[in-house]
Amino acid sequence: MSVQVNSEVITFAKQLIREGKFKNDEGHWSQHNPDTRQENTFLQTHEIAEYANWHLGLDTSKGEDTKGRYHFPYGDFKTVHRDGLIAAKERAAQQGYSDIENAADELLQALEKQANK
């Protein structure tokens, strides 16, 4: 698997954070992470590119129109979640994807800065 950081997503997520579209939650990401049913429902009314916007990782070995191409989710298709960024950062570190780990950390810092305003 060849996963790299999806740099366009960083810009998208930063914009959401600036607009206040985030949740500074302290729960577990498993409570907020969209499940397969929610992902499929989202894809019924949105393009795969919009689905991609909610994932920090991109597996270029997978087809562009497949869900399997996108990894490290961080939001619920509406808002950026603090616990989603933490989960993405931790999983990226465990799997050796330092660019994704760093991107998640950068977004986490932006979210916390915005939350403290």
Side-chain angles (χ1 to χ4, degrees):
M1 184 164 68
S2 174
V3 179
Q4 60 193 32
V5 69
N6 189 347
S7 55
E8 292 177 14
V9 168
I10 306 308
T11 303
F12 174 77
K14 282 182 178 179
Q15 181 63 37
L16 290 173
I17 292 168
R18 278 192 298 275
E19 293 172 359
K21 296 178 181 175
F22 63 86
K23 293 192 178 170
N24 196 14
D25 39 22
E26 299 199 14
H28 294 282
W29 178 228
S30 61
Q31 297 169 324
H32 307 117
N33 186 12
D35 61 22
T36 302
R37 181 189 57 76
Q38 291 167 313
E39 290 177 342
N40 291 338
T41 299
F42 180 82
L43 284 168
Q44 288 175 356
T45 56
H46 298 82
E47 299 293 325
I48 193 81
E50 292 174 85
Y51 176 83
N53 281 337
W54 295 97
H55 298 80
L56 297 176
L58 179 66
D59 182 350
T60 56
S61 71
K62 305 286 184 181
E64 289 185 24
D65 291 337
T66 64
K67 286 180 6 181
R69 182 176 176 94
Y70 307 102
H71 300 272
F72 301 100
Y74 66 89
D76 62 6
F77 304 124
K78 293 179 235 149
T79 56
V80 176
H81 281 258
R82 178 180 181 273
D83 57 2
L85 291 171
I86 291 170
K89 179 181 173 182
E90 290 174 353
R91 283 194 349 267
Q94 291 168 350
Q95 296 175 24
Y97 297 118
S98 59
D99 57 343
I100 296 170
E101 177 187 3
N102 293 336
D105 187 55
E106 179 182 341
L107 291 170
L108 184 58
Q109 289 178 34
L111 185 149
E112 290 176 351
K113 181 179 178 181
Q114 188 72 17
N116 289 326
K117 283 188 172 181

